[in-house]
């Protein structure tokens, strides 16, 4: 039952501040951290238990949606005031973070990425990627069609999408391998800005914007050789700044508008200089 336990850490104090049991089960990304006035941990289970929220400091259960079964992933929305719950075979549910009530449903959406700088969101479906605003204006712009998106992130005025396709897929560009990857950037109106290609036989497993240094940061990984991730820095115009150092991890997450990179191995990396600030006892998922 190890996957049910969640630990919450303070980056400022460099210590664990709570640990409590939840309904979470293994698989997917069934863990999210949300909240404005207080920090809330939201977890989900695939089979029986649905989706539940807990006070991050005490572990007290705040709300429980037993009806939302078979959730695959969770993601914060609207600066932490809401949480998106994604499923395989039914519409995405947007839940109020304080009450757990469903405030919206989005059909066909497979994944959501929200901005730390505005109310913009990226929604991916089986066939395209849309850029829009939540909540408020119903403005959606299709920015990418017929491609799978591995990872996506917002900067203050642009988005970056790592997409992949295969030689036999529609619209594929011939190359030196059956798999092709590109990092594409668009402005917030959906206009293309630039395109960046990873090293041969590589992809970016994660991308983020570091607000302190004002550039993009990716975690490059070779599907041919496997091995560790490697930090790559990309300027706002799509030019490579540098590659390295290596990061030994499977899962990572950017925090603090890209200032910190947290790994499932327990490392907290200061992104501007690549130095490891702190190592904590890792749990099974990073959020």
């Amino acid at each position: 039952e190890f996957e049910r336990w969640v630990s919450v850490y303070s980056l400022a104090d460099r210590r664990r501040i709570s640990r409590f049991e939840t309904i979470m089960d293994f698989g997917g990304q069934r863990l999210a951290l949300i909240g404005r006035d207080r920090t809330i941990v939201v977890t989900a289970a695939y089979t029986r238990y649905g989706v539940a929220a807990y006070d991050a400091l005490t572990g007290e259960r705040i709300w429980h949606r037993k009806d939302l079964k078979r959730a695959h992933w969770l993601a914060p929305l609207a600066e932490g005031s809401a949480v998106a719950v994604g499923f395989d075979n039914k519409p995405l549910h947007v839940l109020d973070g304080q009450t757990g009530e469903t405030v919206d449903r989005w059909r066909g959406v497979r994944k959501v990425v929200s901005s730390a700088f505005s109310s913009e969101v990226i929604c991916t479906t089986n066939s395209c990627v849309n850029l829009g605003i939540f909540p408020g204006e119903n403005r959606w712009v299709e920015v990418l069609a017929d491609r799978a998106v591995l990872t996506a992130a917002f900067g203050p005025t642009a988005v970056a999408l790592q997409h992949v396709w295969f030689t036999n897929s529609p619209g594929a560009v011939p190359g030196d391998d059956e798999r092709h990857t590109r990092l594409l950037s668009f402005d917030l109106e959906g206009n293309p800005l630039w395109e960046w290609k990873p090293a041969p036989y590589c992809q970016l497993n994660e991308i983020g914007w570091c607000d302190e240094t004002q550039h993009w940061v990716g975690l490059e990984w070779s599907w041919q050789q496997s091995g560790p991730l490697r930090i790559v820095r990309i300027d706002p115009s799509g030019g490579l700044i540098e590659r390295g150092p290596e990061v030994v991890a499977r899962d990572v997450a950017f925090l603090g508008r890209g200032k910190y990179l947290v790994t499932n191995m327990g490392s907290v990396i200061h992104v501007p200089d690549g130095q490891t600030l702190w190592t904590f006892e890792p749990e099974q998922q990073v959020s």
Side-chain angles (χ1 to χ4, degrees):
E1 300 294 325
F2 67 89
E3 67 270 15
R4 291 176 177 265
W5 288 86
V6 171
S7 291
V8 180
Y9 295 86
S10 168
L11 286 179
D13 297 336
R14 300 189 183 185
R15 65 181 181 89
R16 186 167 65 186
I17 58 177
S18 65
R19 186 173 188 267
F20 48 89
E21 190 174 11
T22 72
I23 64 166
M24 184 172 66
D25 61 16
F26 185 75
Q29 183 62 40
R30 301 190 181 107
L31 176 66
L33 198 65
I34 66 170
R36 287 179 173 174
D37 298 331
R38 62 172 172 173
T39 305
I40 297 173
V41 173
V42 185
T43 66
Y46 185 75
T47 52
R48 300 190 314 178
Y49 301 107
V51 181
Y54 305 82
D55 185 287
L57 297 180
T58 66
E60 177 187 2
R61 186 180 293 176
I62 301 170
W63 51 261
H64 192 180
R65 290 288 304 272
K66 295 182 180 180
D67 57 309
L68 296 181
K69 296 179 175 61
R70 299 196 173 187
H72 270 298
W73 57 266
L74 305 173
L77 283 177
E79 298 179 333
S81 66
V83 61
V85 184
F87 307 89
D88 252 351
N89 55 0
K90 58 183 176 182
L92 175 146
H93 281 240
V94 179
L95 307 184
D96 182 278
Q98 296 295 325
T99 66
E101 295 179 1
T102 297
V103 297
D104 207 348
R105 292 177 175 87
W106 297 345
R107 294 188 179 278
V109 175
R110 303 281 297 181
K111 187 176 182 180
V112 170
V113 177
S114 61
S115 173
F117 307 95
S118 67
S119 57
E120 306 282 342
V121 294
I122 297 168
C123 293
T124 64
T125 71
N126 285 331
S127 61
C128 66
V129 180
N130 293 322
L131 174 64
I133 297 177
F134 172 81
E137 298 179 37
N138 187 20
R139 181 178 67 81
W140 297 97
V141 180
E142 183 177 305
V143 295
L144 194 63
D146 297 323
R147 297 287 189 268
V149 174
L150 297 179
T151 183
F154 278 91
T157 61
V159 299
L161 308 170
Q162 163 76 86
H163 70 108
V164 60
W165 71 97
F166 295 86
T167 299
N168 293 328
S169 64
V173 178
D176 57 359
D177 195 79
E178 291 185 354
R179 185 189 305 191
H180 307 271
T181 63
R182 295 289 189 277
L183 183 68
L184 300 180
S185 182
F186 300 85
D187 66 22
L188 299 185
E189 298 298 324
N191 301 306
L193 297 175
W194 49 261
E195 177 180 312
W196 183 83
K197 183 180 179 180
Y201 307 104
C202 289
Q203 66 189 36
L204 296 183
N205 283 7
E206 195 67 47
I207 184 70
W209 171 266
C210 180
D211 207 38
E212 184 170 317
T213 58
Q214 294 289 293
H215 64 238
W216 299 98
V217 181
L219 277 299
E220 195 174 53
W221 176 77
S222 171
W223 68 77
Q224 186 183 62
Q225 299 177 353
S226 190
L229 304 170
R230 183 180 293 277
I231 293 177
V232 294
R233 301 178 186 274
I234 302 166
D235 69 33
S237 299
L240 177 66
I241 300 173
E242 65 174 358
R243 278 188 169 89
E246 293 182 347
V247 176
V248 179
R250 183 187 70 253
D251 297 320
V252 298
F254 287 101
L255 300 178
R257 294 192 172 188
K259 184 176 182 178
Y260 304 105
L261 180 70
V262 182
T263 78
N264 69 302
M265 302 302 291
S267 297
V268 180
I269 298 170
H270 184 240
V271 172
D273 58 19
Q275 299 299 308
T276 299
L277 297 178
W278 176 46
T279 301
F280 61 90
E281 178 186 352
E283 297 292 332
Q284 297 304 309
Q285 286 185 303
V286 174
S287 180

Coordinates of all heavy atoms in Angstrom, one line a residue, residues 106 118-122 131-141 188-189:
W106 N -15.0 19.0 -20.4 CA -14.4 19.3 -21.7 C -14.4 17.9 -22.5 O -13.6 17.0 -22.1 CB -13.0 19.9 -21.6 CG -13.0 21.2 -21.0 CD1 -14.1 22.0 -20.8 CD2 -11.9 21.9 -20.4 NE1 -13.7 23.2 -20.1 CE2 -12.3 23.1 -19.9 CE3 -10.5 21.6 -20.3 CZ2 -11.5 24.0 -19.3 CZ3 -9.7 22.5 -19.7 CH2 -10.1 23.7 -19.3
S118 N -0.6 33.3 -16.5 CA -1.9 33.9 -17.0 C -3.0 32.8 -16.8 O -2.7 31.7 -16.3 CB -1.8 34.3 -18.4 OG -1.6 33.2 -19.3
S119 N -4.2 33.0 -17.4 CA -5.2 32.0 -17.4 C -5.2 31.1 -18.6 O -6.2 30.4 -18.8 CB -6.6 32.7 -17.2 OG -6.8 33.7 -18.3
E120 N -4.2 31.2 -19.4 CA -4.1 30.3 -20.6 C -3.9 28.9 -20.2 O -3.3 28.5 -19.2 CB -2.9 30.8 -21.5 CG -2.9 32.3 -21.8 CD -3.8 32.6 -22.9 OE1 -4.3 31.7 -23.6 OE2 -4.1 33.8 -23.0
V121 N -4.5 28.0 -21.1 CA -4.3 26.6 -20.9 C -4.0 25.9 -22.3 O -4.5 26.5 -23.3 CB -5.5 25.9 -20.3 CG1 -5.7 26.3 -18.8 CG2 -6.8 26.1 -21.1
I122 N -3.3 24.8 -22.3 CA -3.1 24.0 -23.5 C -4.0 22.7 -23.2 O -3.8 22.1 -22.2 CB -1.7 23.6 -23.7 CG1 -0.8 24.9 -23.9 CG2 -1.5 22.6 -24.8 CD1 0.7 24.6 -23.9
L131 N -5.1 25.9 -27.8 CA -4.7 26.9 -26.9 C -5.9 27.8 -26.5 O -6.6 28.3 -27.4 CB -3.6 27.8 -27.5 CG -3.1 29.0 -26.7 CD1 -2.4 28.5 -25.4 CD2 -2.1 29.8 -27.5
G132 N -6.2 28.0 -25.3 CA -7.4 28.7 -24.9 C -7.2 29.4 -23.5 O -6.1 29.4 -22.9
I133 N -8.3 29.9 -23.0 CA -8.4 30.6 -21.7 C -9.4 29.9 -20.8 O -10.5 29.6 -21.3 CB -8.8 32.1 -21.9 CG1 -7.7 32.8 -22.7 CG2 -8.9 32.8 -20.6 CD1 -8.1 34.2 -23.0
F134 N -9.0 29.7 -19.6 CA -10.0 29.2 -18.6 C -9.8 29.9 -17.3 O -8.7 30.1 -16.8 CB -9.7 27.7 -18.4 CG -10.5 27.1 -17.2 CD1 -11.9 26.8 -17.4 CD2 -10.0 27.0 -15.9 CE1 -12.6 26.3 -16.4 CE2 -10.7 26.6 -14.9 CZ -12.1 26.2 -15.1
P135 N -10.9 30.3 -16.6 CA -12.2 30.3 -17.1 C -12.4 31.6 -17.8 O -11.5 32.5 -17.9 CB -13.1 30.2 -15.9 CG -12.3 31.0 -14.8 CD -10.8 30.7 -15.2
G136 N -13.6 31.9 -18.4 CA -13.9 33.2 -19.0 C -14.1 33.0 -20.5 O -15.0 32.3 -21.0
E137 N -13.2 33.7 -21.3 CA -13.4 33.7 -22.8 C -13.3 32.3 -23.4 O -12.5 31.5 -23.0 CB -12.3 34.5 -23.4 CG -12.3 36.0 -23.0 CD -11.1 36.7 -23.7 OE1 -10.8 36.4 -24.9 OE2 -10.5 37.6 -23.1
N138 N -14.2 32.0 -24.3 CA -14.2 30.7 -25.0 C -13.4 30.9 -26.3 O -13.9 30.9 -27.4 CB -15.6 30.3 -25.3 CG -15.7 28.9 -25.9 OD1 -14.7 28.1 -25.8 ND2 -16.7 28.6 -26.6
R139 N -12.1 31.1 -26.1 CA -11.2 31.3 -27.2 C -10.2 30.2 -27.3 O -9.3 30.0 -26.5 CB -10.4 32.6 -27.0 CG -9.4 32.9 -28.2 CD -8.7 34.3 -28.0 NE -7.8 34.2 -26.8 CZ -6.5 33.7 -26.9 NH1 -6.1 33.2 -28.0 NH2 -5.7 33.7 -25.8
W140 N -10.4 29.4 -28.4 CA -9.6 28.2 -28.6 C -9.0 28.3 -30.0 O -9.7 28.5 -30.9 CB -10.4 26.9 -28.4 CG -10.9 26.7 -27.0 CD1 -12.2 27.1 -26.6 CD2 -10.2 26.2 -25.9 NE1 -12.3 26.8 -25.3 CE2 -11.1 26.3 -24.8 CE3 -8.9 25.8 -25.7 CZ2 -10.8 25.9 -23.5 CZ3 -8.6 25.3 -24.5 CH2 -9.5 25.4 -23.4
V141 N -7.7 28.1 -30.0 CA -7.0 28.1 -31.3 C -6.2 26.8 -31.5 O -5.5 26.4 -30.6 CB -5.9 29.3 -31.3 CG1 -5.2 29.3 -32.7 CG2 -6.6 30.6 -31.1
L188 N 0.7 33.4 -27.9 CA -0.6 33.1 -27.2 C -1.8 33.3 -28.1 O -2.9 33.0 -27.7 CB -0.7 33.9 -26.0 CG 0.4 33.7 -24.9 CD1 0.1 34.5 -23.7 CD2 0.5 32.2 -24.6
E189 N -1.5 33.7 -29.4 CA -2.6 33.8 -30.4 C -2.5 32.6 -31.3 O -3.3 32.4 -32.2 CB -2.5 35.1 -31.2 CG -2.7 36.3 -30.4 CD -4.0 36.4 -29.7 OE1 -5.0 36.0 -30.4 OE2 -4.1 36.9 -28.6

